[in-house]
Amino acid sequence: MFALSSCIQGGQQEESSSTSVLVRLFVLSCLSENQELRIMAAKPKLYYFDGRGRMESVRWLLAAAGVEYEEVLFQTAEDFKNLIKSGKLMYDQVPMVEMDGMSIVQTRAILKYIATKYNLYGKDLKERAIIDMYVEGMRDLNDMIMFFPFSLPEEKQKILNYILERATQRFFPVYEKALKDHGKNYLVGNQLSWADVQLLEVILMVEELKAGVLCAFPKLQEFKARVIKLPRIQKFLQPGSPRKPPVDDASFEVSRKIYKIDKNFVLKHMS
Ligand code: GTS
């Protein structure tokens, strides 16, 4: 801008043609800035099947950030193939989120982008490392629960016991201790972060498998009661929100038709 005005003030004949070029360039750059603004302002668009799966944490995080979004929920293998044909899926896999002019794939990449953009990812590198450590543990637990419905009837009870044992012996004690030791309301930096959102999501998932699973964890009970009351979270937990229900027979069949699921599928995802 400064360079442009000094050019215009120069007043020489030969400068006027270069000035008009500069003016055109300036207008063009304004236009693309506007277009960029429009892209930034567009609602994120989530592409996945009509179920929780890997996308549910993305829905939770956007809800916690207070961001409205649209969803393209496919029902058939054909829908998924068409999305692959569009060339938007880097690895021919979902979840995929279109936002800010990008088609973002890989669940962690999507979550990190949203957490960073909406200030849910700590104030510095060290807080981010702690959030990552919490979130990675929670995702291990989350993955086990996510794949549990695909277990074979004869292995179901054993896998359920294993998940509950891991939740109550390995993962929940970590978050209980963290909250107890620092005495703050949230896991990291005393403000809501991705780790808190992920923790509430996974607590509710474990409770769906076994009610009362938090009885030995008083700090987690307080945490749950507190975070559930946050207006954005409360809204997401209301009926009719984009939150998806637990897997039932119908959604199980839908995802089985869309993706190939081999015999050891569930065992491969046990941490
Ligand atoms: N690491 C990837 C991520 O985290 O996003 C894995 C993505 C993935 O495996 N997606 C599955 C898929 O697209 C769908 S789901 O398991 O999330 O429901 N599978 C098709 C394929 O060809 O891999």
Side-chain angles (χ1 to χ4, degrees):
M1 188 63 190
F2 176 75
L4 177 66
S5 46
S6 60
C7 259
I8 292 169
Q9 279 158 16
Q12 288 176 6
Q13 197 61 29
E14 61 184 9
E15 273 184 351
S16 67
S17 63
S18 61
T19 301
S20 68
V21 170
L22 281 173
V23 169
R24 271 207 301 273
L25 279 174
F26 178 70
V27 170
L28 272 176
S29 80
C30 285
L31 267 181
S32 63
E33 243 172 59
N34 279 340
Q35 281 163 340
E36 203 168 304
L37 279 178
R38 236 179 294 138
I39 288 169
M40 302 291 279
K43 281 185 190 170
K45 208 183 233 187
L46 280 47
Y47 292 79
Y48 204 61
F49 75 95
D50 190 2
R52 285 185 182 174
R54 290 185 167 87
M55 189 63 102
E56 193 67 358
S57 300
V58 176
R59 298 183 183 110
W60 268 92
L61 202 56
L62 285 170
V67 178
E68 286 190 13
Y69 51 90
E70 290 169 17
E71 296 205 70
V72 177
L73 302 170
F74 40 82
Q75 302 285 342
T76 63
E78 202 56 34
D79 294 341
F80 184 43
K81 270 189 208 144
N82 287 336
L83 183 59
I84 291 174
K85 274 190 213 146
S86 76
K88 288 179 178 175
L89 304 179
M90 186 182 278
Y91 299 108
D92 292 349
Q93 288 181 318
V94 284
M96 189 271 276
V97 175
E98 280 179 340
M99 69 186 289
D100 299 343
M102 296 185 287
S103 300
I104 317 177
V105 295
Q106 290 293 349
T107 318
R108 281 178 178 76
I110 298 169
L111 290 166
K112 277 188 183 174
Y113 184 78
I114 295 167
T116 309
K117 177 166 178 173
Y118 296 104
N119 197 24
L120 291 163
Y121 203 9
K123 67 171 180 338
D124 55 29
L125 259 181
K126 285 190 176 171
E127 283 196 358
R128 250 167 259 162
I130 300 168
I131 290 171
D132 281 342
M133 286 192 279
Y134 288 145
V135 165
E136 288 302 319
M138 293 163 195
R139 294 217 61 79
D140 285 347
L141 180 55
N142 189 312
D143 281 1
M144 289 195 271
I145 300 171
M146 182 169 76
F147 293 111
F148 172 60
F150 296 91
S151 48
L152 301 170
E154 61 272 21
E155 62 188 20
K156 251 198 166 68
Q157 190 58 47
K158 210 167 123 199
I159 290 179
L160 175 62
N161 293 344
Y162 181 80
I163 294 172
L164 292 172
E165 190 264 328
R166 278 292 193 244
T168 54
Q169 305 296 316
R170 171 170 289 178
F171 295 106
F172 286 173
V174 172
Y175 317 125
E176 175 78 11
K177 183 173 183 314
L179 290 166
K180 193 170 168 204
D181 285 355
H182 64 39
K184 309 252 170 68
N185 284 350
Y186 300 107
L187 278 171
V188 182
N190 206 22
Q191 67 167 35
L192 187 78
S193 77
W194 174 17
D196 302 300
V197 181
Q198 186 75 64
L199 179 56
L200 180 60
E201 180 189 356
V202 84
I203 285 175
L204 297 181
M205 286 171 85
V206 179
E207 285 184 328
E208 283 169 357
L209 296 179
K210 188 176 181 219
V213 76
L214 283 192
C215 64
F217 302 99
K219 288 288 160 195
L220 289 185
Q221 287 175 37
E222 285 169 27
F223 169 88
K224 177 187 156 190
R226 190 164 49 241
V227 179
I228 263 177
K229 277 195 216 117
L230 298 176
R232 289 169 179 174
I233 301 287
Q234 216 172 32
K235 190 173 163 202
F236 188 62
L237 292 171
Q238 292 299 312
S241 88
R243 185 176 179 224
K244 302 292 176 263
V247 175
D248 60 9
D249 290 349
S251 59
F252 175 77
E253 274 312 306
V254 169
S255 48
R256 230 168 50 88
K257 277 183 198 147
I258 298 174
Y259 312 114
K260 293 186 200 87
I261 294 161
D262 66 45
K263 195 164 164 271
N264 292 317
F265 186 71
V266 178
L267 292 174
K268 274 192 280 188
H269 291 95
M270 293 295 122
S271 299

